[in-house]
Amino acid sequence: MTTNIKIHLADDHQVLIDGLSNLLKTVPNFEVAGSSLDGTTVYDDVIFNQADVLILDISMPKKDGIETLKEFKEKKATCKVIILSSYDDLKIIKEVMKLGAKAYLTKNCAGENIIEAVEAVHDGQEYFSDAVRKKIFNTFKDNPKLNQNAVIENPILSPREIEIIILIALEYSGKEISEKLFISSHTVETHRKNIMKKLNIKSTIGLVKYALKNNLINS
């Protein structure tokens, strides 16, 4: 039986809330539990509606998304947070991920990514829109070993797992990978173990060989 996912929307533009709400309601197991136009009410609204996922605008009035995230973290709220923003600034992305956000989408692509993002964070994964992912990837693209034109087709690997493989093959440490991708060292290690299990690879050397074989890095 499919579990219903209760979603709360927080944005100061009713038009955007209505648009996202209509889109999310097209998914059978999605339930839009409520919405907030003011940052000061978001936490109480989410708790009252028992929402599983919060889609939060970073630029809420009176109390912005960062302050709201701090409140959620301090009160140990279990709701998974997706940040919706007009900005793709790496400093902002890094800050909100450290505060517990699980996904970051830019508003210009929210319509095409929001359903995948909700499903991903509800399943305990992180999610970034393509523009944000590219921005993050650019922070290590100058490595001479990186194949800029790398294309990989492997249905069992997620885009995040492919990034982890590349960074491991480029000899980044777990701590460096966590800093580059704005995730915890524990999450990096979990991804590494999952990748090795999926690919039936026993060692880091095996991951490097995989990256070379699939032209993710240059030898």
Side-chain angles (χ1 to χ4, degrees):
M1 188 177 192
T2 304
T3 303
N4 277 353
I5 302 174
K6 298 181 72 173
I7 305 162
H8 190 88
L9 302 171
D11 194 284
D12 59 333
H13 294 95
Q14 188 64 50
V15 173
L16 189 141
I17 287 178
D18 292 342
L20 288 180
S21 180
N22 289 335
L23 177 60
L24 293 167
K25 286 176 181 177
T26 64
V27 182
N29 65 314
F30 283 9
E31 176 188 344
V32 178
S35 63
S36 306
L37 290 166
D38 185 331
T40 60
T41 69
V42 174
Y43 178 81
D44 289 339
D45 291 342
V46 165
I47 299 303
F48 179 79
N49 291 318
Q50 298 181 316
D52 302 301
V53 176
L54 165 64
I55 299 172
L56 175 66
D57 180 13
I58 200 76
S59 301
M60 293 287 285
K62 298 183 181 178
K63 187 174 186 177
D64 64 25
I66 291 176
E67 290 301 315
T68 299
L69 275 173
K70 288 179 180 177
E71 181 178 13
F72 272 69
K73 187 174 182 178
E74 289 169 0
K75 296 180 178 178
K76 296 180 171 56
T78 58
C79 182
K80 308 291 177 60
V81 182
I82 297 172
I83 292 294
L84 198 58
S85 176
S86 301
Y87 313 104
D88 60 0
D89 184 280
L90 284 176
K91 289 182 179 179
I92 296 176
I93 297 170
K94 186 173 184 177
E95 183 170 9
V96 298
M97 299 307 285
K98 281 186 173 182
L99 288 172
K102 296 300 181 183
Y104 196 104
L105 307 179
T106 51
K107 285 189 175 182
N108 61 352
C109 67
E112 54 194 84
N113 294 123
I114 197 66
I115 292 174
E116 284 186 3
V118 170
E119 291 173 335
V121 301
H122 187 258
D123 288 340
Q125 304 171 36
E126 301 93 9
Y127 188 95
F128 298 96
S129 58
D130 289 342
V132 173
R133 188 178 296 280
K134 184 176 181 181
K135 190 94 172 181
I136 295 171
F137 199 79
N138 283 343
T139 65
F140 56 88
K141 73 175 184 178
D142 291 333
N143 191 304
K145 288 187 177 181
L146 179 64
N147 181 359
Q148 301 288 346
N149 300 312
V151 175
I152 183 171
E153 294 184 6
N154 190 326
I156 68 172
L157 294 175
S158 69
R160 170 62 89 207
E161 289 170 335
I162 292 170
E163 289 173 345
I164 297 286
I165 291 173
I166 291 172
L167 288 170
I168 290 173
L170 291 176
E171 301 181 339
Y172 283 82
S173 68
K175 183 175 184 297
E176 289 171 331
I177 294 173
S178 71
E179 291 174 350
K180 290 289 183 185
L181 301 182
F182 312 134
I183 57 180
S184 69
S185 296
H186 174 74
T187 300
V188 172
E189 180 61 18
T190 299
H191 279 306
R192 187 184 68 81
K193 289 179 179 178
N194 289 340
I195 292 164
M196 294 174 76
K197 183 176 181 180
K198 285 182 178 182
L199 299 178
N200 195 27
I201 289 173
K202 307 299 183 185
S203 67
T204 299
I205 293 175
L207 289 177
V208 174
K209 288 180 178 178
Y210 180 87
L212 287 167
K213 181 180 178 181
N214 287 277
N215 299 314
L216 299 179
I217 63 170
N218 300 309
S219 58

